[in-house]
Amino acid sequence: MFKKVLIANRGEIALRIHRACKEMGISTVAVHSTADSDAMHVRLADESVCIGPPSATESYLNIPAILSAATLTDADAIHPGYGFLSENANFARIVEEHGIAFIGPSSNLIAIMGDKVAAKEAMKKAGVPVVPGSDGAVATARDASKIAAAIGYPVIVKAASGGGGRGMKVVERAGDLESAFNLAATEAKANFGDATVYIEKFLGQPRHVEVQVIADGKGNAVHLFERDCSLQRKHQKVLEEAPCPILDEATRQHIGKVCADAAGRIDYLSAGTFEFLYENGEFYFIEMNTRIQVEHPITEMICDIDIVSEMIRIAAGEEMSLRQQDIAINGHAFECRINAEDPTTFAPSPGRIEEFHAPGGLGVRVDSALYAGYSIPAYYDSLVAKLIVHGRDRDEALMRMRRALGEMVVSGVSTTIPLHKRLVDDPSFIANTYDIHWLESFVATD
Ligand code: ADP
């Protein structure tokens, strides 16, 4: 097992990884920018190294600085968390080449899954159902028109290298395709350095359902069932739950098995997530995330499995201890992503935290790096806390979430807590009748 892990991230996920390491008897190295000298992950880690100025490109994305920190502190592994360098195949390759373990899949697999066209291709081969669309990249607007006519409008033009909900254009009718195609390609080139785009059928009322897998690269792969992440704003998840309340048991077992089998077939190693849109009883693969996800705690709560520890064990070369027949769903879990943002305009709200009170009690978990007196820097993502609850069933978990939101205090900055309070009382949310587009209109009614 590793002796020392460098955590190449910040905020709540850096703390989450630190906690897993401590419980495994592993010491931790935090890296931080000059804007994060007082951050909780720096305070709690056994050692810390400043890797650059506030801008993420010069610090958390600075590969030479992170590698120097790992060498300097004699770390034998690096956990990238999510965001930043977590899905950067080049980073994973350089880490491997330096004889340091990368806690994630091989650089090769990250590269395939990072290219959505290649990912869809690989998944089709591995027996996973995908969204109908172009078979691979689309070169010209003329080709795009032919494909769109064949699959039928509306369609969505997507950047092969896109991510984080960016680089997508919905096209309702044939007359708009050429300009949308050209704009998508130009924007893809400007934002992701790659003009490659592809086309998919735009699904009108799907849910977003994703399956968590863990595989050890030695042919053992299991699934940890699914999460429903349909509540999205600007293609970003806001509130998630597990399991997906609209799947029956046979469907759940089936899609879980499809994903675990596919993970085994592609020799996947580490934790990963198969994301699907689910409409009219059909699953359509959209992408695979080759890293730990923000919403992983809800799966941990219902399966009672520490996903981050499993990632660490597997990266250290251990065979997987999990057996599919031992993994069962116990109860229901929700996660509210609490951002330091105005709850109606969603404008970021950095600044000093005056008071911070985390809710507690049975079935409540708060993953956050906040503390009273901490100043949220303006340079990074606005996620500041994840409020996670577990209950014996959906109703109990929902009551618990209402109760916990009522206890939570974050003052000094604006947060999205009021939006979550409104959501957990909404009849459509309670009755489960929404799709991935619903939250946009819900937000607009405030
Ligand atoms: P990203 O990598 O940027 O997260 P995804 O391909 O995972 O991109 O898509 C993100 C979100 O965009 C999905 O959760 C869904 O809300 C929407 N989306 C993507 N593809 C489609 C589609 N074919 N039809 C309808 N909505 C889609």
Side-chain angles (χ1 to χ4, degrees), residues 204-269:
Q205 297 180 307
R207 303 271 286 217
H208 174 116
V209 180
E210 58 184 36
V211 177
Q212 175 76 57
V213 298
I214 302 183
D216 66 3
K218 299 180 167 78
N220 303 307
V222 296
H223 69 84
L224 270 51
F225 301 98
E226 78 288 344
R227 299 181 282 259
D228 188 319
C229 311
S230 301
L231 294 170
Q232 302 182 359
R233 187 185 156 267
K234 296 209 160 89
H235 305 301
Q236 305 262 11
K237 297 159 191 166
V238 171
L239 192 166
E240 304 98 346
E241 65 183 291
C244 168
I246 59 163
L247 294 191
D248 60 43
E249 200 45 39
T251 311
R252 165 169 301 124
Q253 295 292 348
H254 170 72
I255 195 63
K257 185 168 183 327
V258 165
C259 294
D261 288 352
R265 234 172 263 162
I266 61 172
D267 282 329
Y268 194 76
L269 181 150

Side-chain angles (χ1 to χ4, degrees), residues 272-330:
T273 302
F274 290 76
E275 295 196 331
F276 296 93
L277 295 176
Y278 177 69
E279 190 173 72
N280 297 329
E282 301 285 342
F283 287 95
Y284 302 98
F285 171 84
I286 45 173
E287 68 166 341
M288 179 170 196
N289 288 319
T290 52
R291 54 170 166 81
I292 190 76
Q293 284 192 283
V294 177
E295 60 274 24
H296 77 278
I298 51 176
T299 299
E300 295 188 324
M301 301 302 272
I302 61 162
C303 293
D304 198 21
I305 289 169
D306 183 329
I307 298 174
V308 178
S309 309
E310 290 299 328
M311 290 177 84
I312 296 172
R313 263 188 220 109
I314 287 166
E318 287 188 13
E319 224 170 81
M320 190 159 46
S321 57
L322 303 171
R323 295 286 164 264
Q324 192 68 60
Q325 63 268 27
D326 302 332
I327 305 170
I329 297 180
N330 171 28

Side-chain angles (χ1 to χ4, degrees), residues 110-119 136-139 157-163 166-168 180-198:
I110 298 176
I112 293 172
M113 296 306 164
D115 177 338
K116 294 182 171 188
V117 169
V138 182
V157 185
K158 297 167 90 168
S161 304
R166 294 176 305 130
M168 291 181 267
F181 177 89
N182 291 330
L183 191 61
T186 312
E187 284 183 11
K189 177 80 188 156
N191 290 322
F192 311 112
D194 171 12
T196 311
V197 295
Y198 64 107

Side-chain angles (χ1 to χ4, degrees), residues 355-368:
E355 291 170 291
F356 176 64
H357 175 74
L362 183 66
V364 176
R365 165 175 171 182
V366 178
D367 280 19
S368 172

Side-chain angles (χ1 to χ4, degrees), residues 411-426:
S411 69
V413 300
S414 298
T415 74
T416 50
I417 293 174
L419 169 70
H420 288 293
K421 283 185 174 164
R422 211 156 67 79
L423 254 177
V424 294
D425 277 336
D426 183 84

Side-chain angles (χ1 to χ4, degrees), residues 383-402:
L383 177 78
V384 292
K386 303 190 310 203
L387 173 54
I388 303 124
V389 299
H390 179 250
R392 280 171 297 187
D393 54 29
R394 190 173 192 262
D395 288 345
E396 185 179 78
L398 203 48
M399 279 307 279
R400 191 157 279 158
M401 182 57 94
R402 289 189 192 104

